[in-house]
Amino acid sequence: MKMSGAEMLLESLKREKVTHIFGYPGGVVLPVFDALYKDPSLQVILTRHEQGAVHAAEGYARSSNTVGVVLVTSGPGATNTLTGIADANMDSIPLVIITGQVPTKMIGNDAFQEADIIGMSRSCTKHNFLVRKITDLPRIIKEAFYIARSGRPGPVLIDFPKDIILEKADFVYPETVSIRSYNPTIQGNRWQIRKAAQTILKSRKPVLYAGGGIISSEAHKELLDLVTLTNIPTTLTLMGLGALPGNHPRFLGMLGMHGTYAANMAIHDADVLIAVGVRFDDRVTGKIAEFSPHSKVIHIDIDPTSIRKNFHVDVPIVGDARVILKDLIEELREISGGEDAFRHYQPWIEQISEWEKEHPLCYTFDKEVIKPQHVIEKIYQFTQGDCIISTDVGQHQMWTAQFFKFIKPNTWLTSGGLGTMGYGFPAAIGAQKAHPGKRVIAITGEGSFMMNIQEMATVVSLDLPVKIVILNNQYLGMVRQWQEFFYGSRYSSSFIGQSPDFVKLAEAFGMIGMRATRPEQVEDVILDGFSRRGPVLMEFQVDPEENVFPMVPAGGSNIEMIFESPGEKDDPKKRDSILTA
Amino acid sequence: MNPEIRVSDTRKHFIQIIVENRFGVLSRVAGLFSGRGFNIDSLSVAPGLDPSVSQMTIETQGDDHVVEQIIKQLNKLIDVIKVVNLSEFSFLTRETLLIRVNTNTRPGDREEAFRIVEIFRARIIDSSPATYTIEVTGDEDKIEAMLNFLKPLGIKEIIRTGKVAVAREDQKIGPKSAARLSDGDVNYHR
């Protein structure tokens, strides 16, 4: 039977077990939307902006470890997806983005709503395809899904010209996929794993440093097994939160710029660093020359380019984190003869608990003004971690990462690599679609929320019970914090106190709005808001000048953490000198 | 132990890449170099023996760490089938130039141009009353030497193919300097 390109696309998506498509219609993709209208087995989530559609697909993908699918039109529809695609590329989120394109014969003619999205997205996708022949379409879709979800996951874009959308041909979907130039390494090298095991056994002060790769490869069980066997203190990156339960006794908290004192000190003093599914990002390492200066480094990652890109490695192991951790545990069991072999880490663990006592994560509760950290703590107490949390980017993101204890993987959605304001709320929409029965909370700031605020219409029209928590401090808080520390408190363009009345805005969109202005109201608003059935917006008017601590100034060494704001008495010149250091 | 990646000297490298012979592959490779701040000193590309693949030769420079990243990043491109750093082997490079020189500036220039062409085993492929157009193929040293000889005549135009490179069949052949003598190319003084 002959099928049109549009029908072939939908049939192929179904073969890839797709059930939800995040998208926005427009000129050239009308035939695809028409086919979707006739086929109710694929559900379209209509967002109110294409950027929202991509972030929603990211939230869907990350919360369920599947591939998120986006469908948009050509030109502006396609270019609006770029920020989301770049975000997914940095954070290794598997997506397939289908963009409409003007008819093949008009490509290059500056046709209406034409954009060279293949050229534009080349550097922010894992791969992209322009469909040039209808008979190539099934293979391209098969390959796109395979590339998106295998190896180091990432976004793959398919540009789909209108004439091919309409053209008819026989549909043959390939059973298997094989790309001669793409074969990700899964199995780790046996000898390297043995070397890693020996290095770990010989160490006295080991630290595990794990990240988003654990979540992508579903290696959380293996990570827990490794920690249980060896008792090695473990720190997680921002993207890795939830990979080890946040209340695990060996969990040191997050590391890096806003990491815990214990995590950063442990990394610094470690003699062996076991890095798994991480890429030594500059927000993690701080000044690279002073990062973990005494350690032998074991680096496990599926992406060979991540190894030795930023940091030296003594034992590189390329492959899938889950497969390698399994082998590593087996190897350790074999050569160690059991848990007793790891007893000698005890003095190290005691040293670390001293650091934990010395500078725990803390804030000063205030009776008059709401502290943002207090709101996060109350949400944790209320949910006990049984929920999916998304955040935007900035202070609220760091406070959530610090004060919320993520117990399970895939329950934490945040924009790590690209740092995209506007990510969080649409991501929550996607997560809610993937987990209809689960409590999904978008924690955001008034600055970030405004960047994709139009998606309020999406949650209301789909009656998604997403709970929105705005920590409103009237500033672009992280910008203000840097200005306070490094720019002599000159708050250039960071005051945004003229925000709308969020409660009224929620009502205007058709959802419930609530507000807390005083600390004693926090608990009531959380109890009330979270017990409502539909979408609820909760605004917490928090201390405008609260800062995120600890903090490592950009380019500083991780052990030079600061725990308090530079006081009035400080010489402004001295502050400026921190910046240039 | 020094935690920083050990920095070695910046050296010239020849990288041979075999890619799918497909629409847009060259821009992926070129975009990778510009996007990540790597250098391209020369690049040549053409279909290989198997018409479904293309061969690229890229001349680049960097320390060991940069070159390691270049090779890894190239391998990461989906359309790249194989990457070889020829600089780890004994290899040959060649480049073809089309050079248009003045031959009538001073008396005797035309004869001088003809002699230089003879010495370097080049060819005159076009001639006008005031110029010769010369085709020459060789490695970097030969090309450079020939250009030095031609300069006094006045070079009007040079078109270069960019370098292509190939590893030697027998990798056990000794040092590169010895290898050059066996090229059968002209011996010249620098």
Side-chain angles (χ1 to χ4, degrees), chain A residues 161 235 263:
Chain A
T235 178

Side-chain angles (χ1 to χ4, degrees), chain A residues 118-279:
Chain A
I118 290 291
M120 290 182 205
S121 66
R122 199 181 50 230
S123 60
C124 64
T125 50
K126 186 171 172 186
H127 195 56
N128 59 21
F129 295 92
L130 171 64
V131 186
R132 288 148 69 87
K133 281 208 311 268
I134 180 79
T135 46
D136 288 345
L137 181 64
R139 177 188 56 80
I140 285 175
I141 295 169
K142 183 91 189 170
E143 289 186 1
F145 276 85
Y146 171 60
I147 291 169
R149 66 163 75 97
S150 60
R152 178 176 173 178
V156 178
L157 184 140
I158 302 172
D159 203 20
F160 199 7
K162 171 137 194 211
D163 53 328
I164 296 171
I165 292 177
L166 293 172
E167 198 178 331
K168 291 196 169 181
D170 288 320
F171 176 72
V172 185
Y173 201 67
E175 296 278 307
T176 55
V177 57
S178 131
I179 305 171
R180 64 173 164 181
S181 55
Y182 175 71
N183 280 306
T185 307
I186 304 297
Q187 212 75 38
N189 180 296
R190 265 261 148 235
W191 298 109
Q192 291 292 86
I193 291 170
R194 174 155 298 174
K195 210 168 142 194
Q198 286 162 348
T199 309
I200 292 168
L201 266 178
K202 267 189 272 171
S203 71
R204 313 224 139 246
K205 300 191 283 181
V207 174
L208 255 161
Y209 149 42
I214 301 285
I215 316 274
S216 300
S217 69
E218 302 183 5
H220 48 277
K221 199 189 147 286
E222 286 71 15
L223 180 66
L224 183 61
D225 286 351
L226 179 61
V227 176
T228 308
L229 171 69
T230 61
N231 229 4
I232 295 177
T234 304
T235 178
L236 296 173
T237 66
L238 180 68
M239 291 307 293
L241 294 177
L244 188 73
N247 52 11
H248 192 283
R250 288 289 83 77
F251 180 50
L252 306 175
M254 184 172 73
L255 79 164
M257 183 175 271
H258 293 295
T260 63
Y261 180 72
N264 283 340
M265 292 302 287
I267 289 270
H268 185 269
D269 275 25
D271 64 353
V272 166
L273 193 60
I274 309 141
V276 192
V278 295
R279 56 187 180 86

